[in-house]
Amino acid sequence: MTGIRGRLRRTSCRLDAWRLGRQSEAADRTGERPERVGPPPTGFTLLPWLLMGLGSLANIFQGRTSNPWVGGAGLLVFNSLYIYVTFRSFDKRTRESPSTRLALAAMALVTCGLALAYGGSWLLFFPLLGLAAGAALRGRWLGRWGWSLAVVAGVVSGVRDGWDGLSIAYATFLSTMVTAAILSLSDAVRQLRAAREELATRAVAEERLRFSRDLHDLLGHTLSVIVVKSEAARRLAPRDLDAALTQITDIESVGRQALTEVREAVTGYREGSLGTELDRARSALDAADVAAVVRRSGPPLPPQTEALLGWVVREAVTNVVRHSGASRCEIAVSGGADRVRLTVTDDGAGVAGPTQGPGTGLTGLTERLATAGGSLTAGVEPRGGFSVTAELPVREEERPVGAMA
């Protein structure tokens, strides 16, 4: 028995060395080092342990086994059941199916029968039974089944070999628990890796969505202002060259500022200012011959709240300039103790974009505000025109220092 165990250990070491060599060669070819996350999810992992049955096979061929045909049939049945159980143990659905449990029970009966009939090297089938049980019976009942198999192995082995049966009982219990622990850990690692990849995919998707919204809001507003001021410069050039040059200077300033903002948006560190956006909105509306009325009341707002409201002003004013045909636009900001409200209203044709209803920019803003616990509503006013209303909560700890003074 000791010689068989030694040969088994040497064979296992050779298999590990061969596997590591193959992985090293693959790493040298690709330049990447693979992560070792435990046994692969296949029954081939447990097949080399069938070499423990070589001693019993040798006894049959050497004529040291009574009724060799019965022993050979038992060996064939045991190996077939072992392969069946182990290959079905790497899929949760097949592992928990009744057929797998019945095959494992039949395997236990065959093991007990062969051990009682022949003893000796045939007792090594109990650790093999423990390997199959550890692979198939993972879960809260594993401890009970592990102890039960160990007791059965110890009793049967004790009947055949006396006190030496304790080593078989220990080997059976150890093979059951260690196999279950290694395979469970391997499954957990694979699940964690899958979860990590899923989280990374979601993070990339969210970042793409954020960047697309930022780019739409930045370039949509800026290009609209540039177009409006260019038209104003073209109209003024024949009769007022100085005024046209002023518009052209504004176009240059807006273009430079847009370039800076796009660079900041790419890095993800842009924080807008509501005051700056209100000034830009007034300038864009004046250039489009839209009378601008801006009212602001309430205490200073946190930077994050100002940035979100700045996006709303930018998008709403862009829609007024490009699509509404309005002659008047009113922007009102009113802040309270725990909530701030922004309203942008015009007297135009009552459209938010090229078609009736909220456009892509307003949809993105609705998602932004909802993430911050706020809301955005947009629609046609009963008396004509279009209105955009945004509300956001304001927490006291986020207010600037001295805001309540």
Side-chain angles (χ1 to χ4, degrees):
M1 186 178 298
T2 303
I4 294 174
R5 291 173 180 168
R7 288 197 298 272
L8 180 61
R9 284 195 296 269
R10 288 194 296 273
T11 303
S12 179
C13 290
R14 292 192 186 100
L15 287 173
D16 289 340
W18 177 81
R19 189 182 299 111
L20 287 173
R22 297 283 294 181
Q23 292 179 350
S24 178
E25 292 174 1
D28 292 338
R29 288 194 301 269
T30 62
E32 298 178 358
R33 287 290 170 181
E35 295 185 38
R36 300 195 66 190
V37 296
T42 172
F44 286 104
T45 307
L46 301 179
L47 283 186
W49 294 100
L50 283 176
L51 296 175
M52 294 176 66
L54 288 178
S56 303
L57 184 63
N59 288 340
I60 293 176
F61 281 106
Q62 292 173 2
R64 291 186 294 177
T65 301
S66 59
N67 299 318
W69 290 105
V70 176
L75 184 61
L76 178 62
V77 171
F78 178 88
N79 289 341
S80 301
L81 291 173
Y82 178 87
I83 294 173
Y84 179 82
V85 171
T86 53
F87 272 84
R88 291 175 63 86
S89 297
F90 288 86
D91 182 83
K92 185 176 182 180
R93 180 180 57 83
T94 57
R95 180 170 67 241
E96 297 178 353
S97 65
S99 59
T100 304
R101 303 299 169 86
L102 289 175
L104 185 62
M107 185 178 170
L109 293 176
V110 172
T111 302
C112 292
L114 293 175
L116 287 172
Y118 300 110
S121 59
W122 295 81
L123 297 176
L124 292 177
F125 287 147
F126 276 112
L128 283 175
L129 176 62
L131 287 171
L137 298 177
R138 285 173 266 173
R140 59 178 181 175
W141 297 99
L142 177 65
R144 297 183 182 182
W145 286 110
W147 282 109
S148 300
L149 285 177
V151 170
V152 171
V155 171
V156 174
S157 301
V159 171
R160 292 294 309 185
D161 286 1
W163 289 105
D164 290 340
L166 293 177
S167 61
I168 296 297
Y170 174 74
T172 302
F173 179 76
L174 192 63
S175 63
T176 303
M177 304 308 293
V178 170
T179 301
I182 292 177
L183 295 182
S184 298
L185 181 61
S186 177
D187 288 344
V189 170
R190 280 189 291 273
Q191 291 173 4
L192 288 174
R193 291 186 64 188
R196 182 181 64 184
E197 293 175 0
E198 182 179 357
L199 290 175
T201 302
R202 289 184 179 180
V204 171
E206 291 177 358
E207 182 62 18
R208 286 175 177 172
L209 180 61
R210 180 200 68 82
F211 182 73
S212 66
R213 288 195 301 246
D214 286 0
L215 200 59
H216 172 273
D217 295 341
L218 282 171
L219 295 184
H221 173 78
T222 301
L223 294 177
S224 297
V225 173
I226 290 176
V227 169
V228 170
K229 287 185 173 292
S230 299
E231 292 176 349
R234 177 175 54 80
R235 292 194 306 267
L236 293 171
R239 63 178 185 272
D240 192 344
L241 185 60
D242 291 337
L245 291 175
T246 300
Q247 295 294 333
I248 293 174
T249 303
D250 290 343
I251 292 173
E252 180 183 2
S253 176
V254 170
R256 292 182 183 277
Q257 183 64 30
L259 182 60
T260 302
E261 290 177 350
V262 169
R263 289 172 177 171
E264 291 175 350
V266 170
T267 58
Y269 294 113
R270 183 178 186 275
E271 287 190 0
S273 168
L274 180 57
T276 301
E277 294 297 340
L278 291 175
D279 292 339
R280 292 177 181 173
R282 184 184 289 107
S283 175
L285 292 170
D286 290 342
D289 293 329
V290 179
V293 179
V294 179
R295 293 194 298 268
R296 183 173 183 179
S297 62
L301 300 173
Q304 183 179 6
T305 303
E306 285 215 357
L308 288 173
L309 294 180
W311 285 115
V312 177
V313 171
R314 176 184 287 260
E315 178 63 25
V317 171
T318 299
N319 289 334
V320 171
V321 171
R322 295 172 61 185
H323 310 298
S324 70
S327 60
R328 176 185 170 87
C329 179
E330 181 176 336
I331 305 173
V333 182
S334 58
D338 56 358
R339 203 161 187 85
V340 61
R341 179 187 180 95
L342 166 68
T343 304
V344 180
T345 307
D346 64 70
D347 60 353
V351 293
T355 60
Q356 199 78 7
T360 303
L362 293 180
T363 302
L365 287 174
T366 302
E367 297 172 356
R368 286 173 181 265
L369 269 64
T371 302
S375 62
L376 185 140
T377 57
V380 179
E381 289 291 298
R383 298 182 179 179
F386 196 83
S387 175
V388 177
T389 302
E391 292 189 6
L392 278 172
V394 179
R395 291 188 291 269
E396 290 297 329
E397 60 270 16
E398 295 180 347
R399 288 188 183 276
V401 178
M404 301 303 295

